[in-house]
Amino acid sequence: MTRHHNDDAPNALSHLPSEAGAHGAAEASRAGALLRAGAVAAALALAVSGGAYAAVLGAGAGAVPLTEAQARLGAPTSAGQAVATAAALDVSTTQVVIETVTEDVADPHGTVEQESSSLAAGTTEVQTAGVDGVVRTTYQVVTEGGVEVSREAVSSVVVTPRTDEVVLVGTASASSTSASGGSAGTTPTTTTAVNDGSVWWSLALCESGGNAAINTGNGYYGAFQFTLSTWQSLGGTGYPHENSYETQLALAQALQARSGWGQWPACAASLGLL
């Protein structure tokens, strides 16, 4: 029996490890390429703005994807939806305005009643007409969003002084008015200053022209132009111009003794008394 030696068999087997190594190298190369591609994709994903990514996630399944620029600017989607991160980017736009406002307010006049023995009891007469005053006040006003939140007065000035109405109330009985010659409003016994050459005659002439019954409605009465309050403080009754010149002279002398010639500054100065 003859055995044949096949020289080709070992050669065939010797090729098998070589082919397997080549195949493994190809697979390794392909895996490396895939890994590199995945890394690039991951890097690109990280480069996208976190704001844009959050906007897409926060908008929900029905949201329209935004570009990075839209996410940064808070732009609406094409469907009119607000960007999911708009609340975080909200900035108050309430406008605060500080302005000066001037207002005029009426100051209503009052009524003062004065008894008068020259009027019959139960009768009245308006001595001084009342005038409402006007006060102008300036405020600093602060508004937020068109709503006033504070108001502070910074200045106030009287534009028109208030003048109270003065009403005379008669106290004289019918018999007393009849005995005095008549009607309400009877003038004093002596209505003009007596020219005795004294300084008092000169003062009365300067103040009122010597007319003891004068009442011009300016708040000063009689020959020596008393105010009602001064007249009453001296013990005078009624109004100065309702009394005789002699009574007015006596109270003028009492006033000068108490307060000096300065009670009649202009006329006293012109007469050389100051």
Side-chain angles (χ1 to χ4, degrees):
M1 180 177 179
T2 304
R3 293 183 179 182
H4 298 280
H5 180 75
N6 189 354
D7 294 332
D8 293 334
N11 291 334
L13 290 174
S14 65
H15 289 298
L16 290 175
S18 175
E19 290 176 359
H23 179 72
E27 289 296 328
S29 176
R30 181 180 301 174
L34 290 175
L35 288 174
R36 287 192 297 274
V40 171
L44 290 174
L46 291 174
V48 177
S49 167
Y53 181 67
V56 173
L57 290 181
V64 178
L66 303 178
T67 66
E68 182 180 356
Q70 287 176 320
R72 289 180 181 275
L73 296 175
T77 67
S78 58
Q81 297 173 329
V83 177
T85 57
L89 300 175
D90 182 36
V91 177
S92 176
T93 57
T94 301
Q95 186 179 21
V96 178
V97 178
I98 301 176
E99 59 183 345
T100 299
V101 177
T102 300
E103 296 181 358
D104 287 351
V105 179
D107 182 15
H109 71 273
T111 299
V112 178
E113 293 186 346
Q114 299 287 347
E115 292 184 350
S116 173
S117 59
S118 298
L119 296 176
T123 63
T124 60
E125 179 182 318
V126 176
Q127 179 69 29
T128 303
V131 177
D132 288 346
V134 176
V135 178
R136 179 167 297 161
T137 304
T138 300
Y139 299 91
Q140 179 177 280
V141 179
V142 179
T143 58
E144 291 185 8
V147 178
E148 183 176 316
V149 296
S150 71
R151 173 180 292 249
E152 180 181 356
V154 294
S155 66
S156 183
V157 61
V158 176
V159 179
T160 303
R162 183 188 70 184
T163 301
D164 288 337
E165 180 184 57
V166 178
V167 178
L168 302 181
V169 179
T171 60
S173 63
S175 59
S176 65
T177 56
S178 175
S180 64
S183 56
T186 301
T187 57
T189 304
T190 305
T191 59
T192 58
V194 177
N195 185 1
D196 56 5
S198 70
V199 68
W200 291 104
W201 175 80
S202 299
L203 182 62
L205 196 64
C206 177
E207 287 287 336
S208 63
N211 185 357
I214 192 171
N215 174 19
T216 60
N218 63 354
Y220 296 91
Y221 310 93
F224 299 100
Q225 293 292 277
F226 290 97
T227 63
L228 184 59
S229 60
T230 299
W231 177 260
Q232 291 174 340
S233 74
L234 294 166
T237 59
Y239 277 77
H241 67 287
E242 297 172 346
N243 290 266
S244 68
Y245 171 74
E246 289 78 13
T247 299
Q248 294 180 41
L249 174 60
L251 292 187
Q253 291 171 335
L255 177 61
Q256 191 278 329
R258 184 181 75 182
S259 305
W261 294 110
Q263 293 297 305
W264 303 274
C267 287
S270 68
L271 295 172
L273 300 174
L274 292 178

